[in-house]
Amino acid sequence: MKKILFLCIAFITILNASKPELTVNILPQKYFVEKIVKDKFEINVMVKPGSSPHNYEPKPSQMRSLVNSKAYFLVGDPFEQAWMDKFKQNAKNTLFIDTTKGIEKIEMEEHEHHDAPKIDTKHDEHDHEKHDHSGFDPHVWLDPLLVKTQAKNIYEAMVEIDSQNSDFYKTNYEEFIKELDALDENIKTILKPYKDKAFMVFHPSWGYFSKRYELEQISIEIEGKEPKPNELIELISEAKKHDIKIVFVAPQFSQKSAKTISKNINANVVEIDPLSDNWKESMLDTANQIANSYK
């Protein structure tokens, strides 16, 4: 009996190991791809839980998985561009798919400190030159309706890669589109009473979410850079002016400034993860947290 059980486990292990692979950048993309391919592929995620794309370096094992992948689904993060030449040089047989094709991106939001006194030193000038935050916001996956475009790009790529299962992918894709529409309507219902309300975030990941649901995102930093003491004073003043009730933090970034601000304005600090693997629940949780903070 034990021998039969061992053989069954070994057979299942061989089957799993023989699955073709796909690679994605971040965990939410894994959620999207799995909705369409189900269990037909193993999915390699480059940025693991708790890691940030801003300072990420792929491990040798992930590079091996990329080389073996039928496709790499890109999300338009600057990290991808920094590694793209190396990725393509090593993964010559991998199809690289930009899932954001057809999406009109918005500018990355940066908090402007209008009233704070300027610190005019060579060191300060060097810091601002080093941290150039211009460019487009890559966080398109935080808007369910933009994810519909990503899903379409994933679906079309899978049909190209595995045409014999095109009907399977089409069915799954259509079901996912229905799920995204339902999620959008659900979030709209939750947030409708709070149109034009503001929330504060450490890292400005929620620009597309804010635009879609007519909210205002006020960021504390850009790309991990903590505000200086005089800037922190201005942020506290701005938070009071907007009657901020909630300050969001993410596990990939510092919480020091957010906690200081929240203490001074009597707001709640709430952790939300824009890179959550449970993407749908994370989106609903964010909407509910914003709504509850104003009740």
Side-chain angles (χ1 to χ4, degrees):
M1 185 68 181
K2 287 183 178 180
K3 186 176 180 180
I4 293 173
L5 181 61
F6 175 79
L7 289 173
C8 288
I9 293 172
F11 181 67
I12 292 170
T13 302
I14 291 170
L15 284 178
N16 288 335
S18 65
K19 280 186 182 180
E21 291 185 76
L22 299 169
T23 291
V24 298
N25 184 359
I26 54 175
L27 285 165
Q29 280 183 295
K30 181 183 179 184
Y31 182 95
F32 307 154
V33 172
E34 282 182 338
K35 285 290 179 177
I36 295 170
V37 305
K38 301 299 183 183
D39 61 352
K40 284 189 178 294
F41 287 79
E42 290 293 323
I43 300 176
N44 168 44
V45 183
M46 285 296 197
V47 182
K48 296 298 184 183
S51 299
S52 169
H54 298 294
N55 54 17
Y56 173 74
E57 185 171 341
K59 296 178 180 179
S61 60
Q62 292 173 303
M63 290 299 294
R64 286 194 295 272
S65 290
L66 173 59
V67 170
N68 293 327
S69 291
K70 297 290 186 181
Y72 182 9
F73 293 103
L74 308 173
V75 75
D77 193 279
F79 137 75
E80 292 173 335
Q81 300 307 315
W83 286 92
M84 194 52 55
D85 289 344
K86 184 174 182 180
F87 286 165
K88 289 185 175 180
Q89 184 180 356
N90 285 275
K92 296 184 184 299
N93 296 320
T94 301
L95 186 64
F96 287 77
I97 305 296
D98 180 5
T99 65
T100 68
K101 181 181 178 182
I103 292 176
E104 184 177 350
K105 294 185 178 179
I106 61 176
E107 291 287 335
M108 190 73 178
E109 292 184 23
E110 181 171 7
H111 186 79
E112 296 180 1
H113 307 284
H114 297 292
D115 302 322
K118 293 181 179 178
I119 302 174
D120 190 15
T121 66
K122 290 182 180 179
H123 175 75
D124 188 61
E125 288 172 2
H126 173 74
D127 279 350
H128 281 279
E129 287 175 1
K130 184 177 179 182
H131 297 88
D132 179 12
H133 305 309
S134 60
F136 291 109
D137 186 345
H139 303 92
V140 296
W141 65 89
L142 297 176
D143 177 343
L145 297 190
L146 294 184
V147 173
K148 290 171 67 174
T149 299
Q150 291 188 275
K152 183 173 184 291
N153 290 327
I154 293 166
Y155 159 65
E156 289 177 348
M158 292 313 305
V159 171
E160 181 180 346
I161 292 166
D162 184 20
S163 59
Q164 65 180 4
N165 287 305
S166 59
D167 290 343
F168 173 78
Y169 299 131
K170 183 179 181 181
T171 299
N172 297 337
Y173 163 69
E174 290 173 347
E175 285 299 314
F176 187 33
I177 293 299
K178 291 177 184 177
E179 178 185 319
L180 292 170
D181 283 332
L183 175 62
D184 173 59
E185 287 300 321
N186 199 344
I187 295 175
K188 278 181 181 175
T189 301
I190 293 168
L191 294 174
K192 186 177 180 180
Y194 310 102
K195 180 182 176 182
D196 298 326
K197 292 291 187 181
F199 62 94
M200 186 168 274
V201 292
F202 183 74
H203 182 68
S205 306
W206 299 86
Y208 293 99
F209 184 92
S210 300
K211 183 180 178 182
R212 177 66 62 193
Y213 301 111
E214 300 181 270
L215 301 169
E216 182 179 356
Q217 170 188 244
I218 300 175
S219 66
I220 297 172
E221 62 79 36
I222 293 288
E223 297 184 0
K225 186 178 178 184
E226 292 274 3
K228 297 178 178 67
N230 57 317
E231 295 170 333
L232 196 58
I233 291 169
E234 186 199 350
L235 281 163
I236 291 169
S237 176
E238 185 168 0
K240 288 178 179 178
K241 182 177 72 176
H242 285 84
D243 194 28
I244 295 291
K245 302 293 187 182
I246 194 166
V247 181
F248 286 129
V249 293
Q252 298 84 15
F253 297 97
S254 168
Q255 300 184 9
K256 182 180 177 182
S257 298
K259 288 180 178 179
T260 300
I261 293 169
S262 65
K263 185 177 180 181
N264 279 273
I265 64 173
N266 196 29
N268 292 323
V269 175
V270 177
E271 185 173 290
I272 54 172
D273 189 359
L275 300 177
S276 173
D277 56 341
N278 195 347
W279 175 81
K280 180 180 177 181
E281 291 306 313
S282 178
M283 295 288 285
L284 285 171
D285 181 52
T286 300
N288 281 312
Q289 292 285 359
I290 293 170
N292 291 336
S293 72
Y294 282 102
K295 289 180 179 177

